[in-house]
Amino acid sequence: MNARPMSTTGRHWWEAERRRTTAVQQGLSVVSWFFLLIGVLGFVPLVTPGYSGIAFAGSDGSAELFGVFGISVLTNLLHLAFGVLGFIMSWMAGAARRTLIGGGVVFALLGLYGLFTDAAGAGNFLGSNWATGLLHLGLGIVMVVLGVVLHRRLPRESEARGEGDFGETNRGAAR
């Protein structure tokens, strides 16, 4: 028999104990999934024409994700690392906001660097082309906007304290 009673709302006790997330945490989770997906797809030859010519770093490689975005092993590892970091930071609302804004600034700067760097030049340490620079710039701007806009949608004070609709706490419904 269940040692814990049901909550006053008629739900099971484990439903009251579920973790409440803010919009900024959910936004970072979506962005993290996107970066993990792109990082993994960068290593898949079917969607990366010229995969046999992928370089670790620099402009020596000929691999392009979807035949458009210049990539390297370093670029893929950067995307995978940010995806993992994003999932870790999405557990806390403040950290999720800082990760979205800080990561957005970093990716926007990488995008600007990619736009103004010669794709075949020695300064192109990521192996990116103009399309990759434009994509990183756009992603960076979107991430900063998400960090600012979604942070304004905080839960009600009772939800932040872990209380449900009828005042029961998430640590166990009305005992």
Side-chain angles (χ1 to χ4, degrees):
M1 180 161 192
N2 190 352
R4 291 186 170 176
M6 293 178 64
S7 71
T8 57
T9 60
R11 297 185 194 128
H12 296 286
W13 62 271
W14 61 81
E15 290 177 349
E17 289 186 358
R18 68 177 172 248
R19 183 172 75 89
R20 296 190 188 273
T21 58
T22 62
V24 73
Q25 289 171 293
Q26 293 170 352
L28 180 58
S29 293
V30 170
V31 169
S32 298
W33 275 115
F34 175 77
F35 276 103
L36 282 177
L37 178 68
I38 294 300
V40 168
L41 286 177
F43 291 114
V44 176
L46 290 175
V47 294
T48 309
Y51 180 78
S52 60
I54 194 169
F56 179 78
S59 58
D60 299 335
S62 61
E64 292 183 333
L65 185 63
F66 304 120
V68 177
F69 306 106
I71 60 166
S72 65
V73 173
L74 183 62
T75 306
N76 292 336
L77 292 176
L78 176 70
H79 291 146
L80 290 171
F82 185 80
V84 170
L85 176 72
F87 279 122
I88 293 169
M89 297 308 235
S90 70
W91 280 88
M92 298 163 285
R97 179 178 186 254
R98 288 188 296 274
T99 303
L100 274 173
I101 293 173
V105 168
V106 168
F107 275 99
L109 290 174
L110 284 174
L112 287 173
Y113 182 78
L115 288 176
F116 294 110
T117 303
D118 181 24
N124 186 5
F125 65 95
L126 287 177
S128 61
N129 57 11
W130 191 82
T132 306
L134 193 61
L135 179 66
H136 282 152
L137 178 63
L139 283 172
I141 292 170
V142 167
M143 288 169 61
V144 169
V145 168
L146 285 175
V148 171
V149 171
L150 293 180
H151 187 65
R152 293 183 183 160
R153 295 187 51 208
L154 293 175
R156 295 185 321 233
E157 185 179 337
S158 62
E159 291 177 359
R161 283 194 313 262
E163 296 175 349
D165 296 333
F166 295 97
E168 73 269 13
T169 66
N170 285 345
R171 289 179 287 288
R175 295 183 195 236

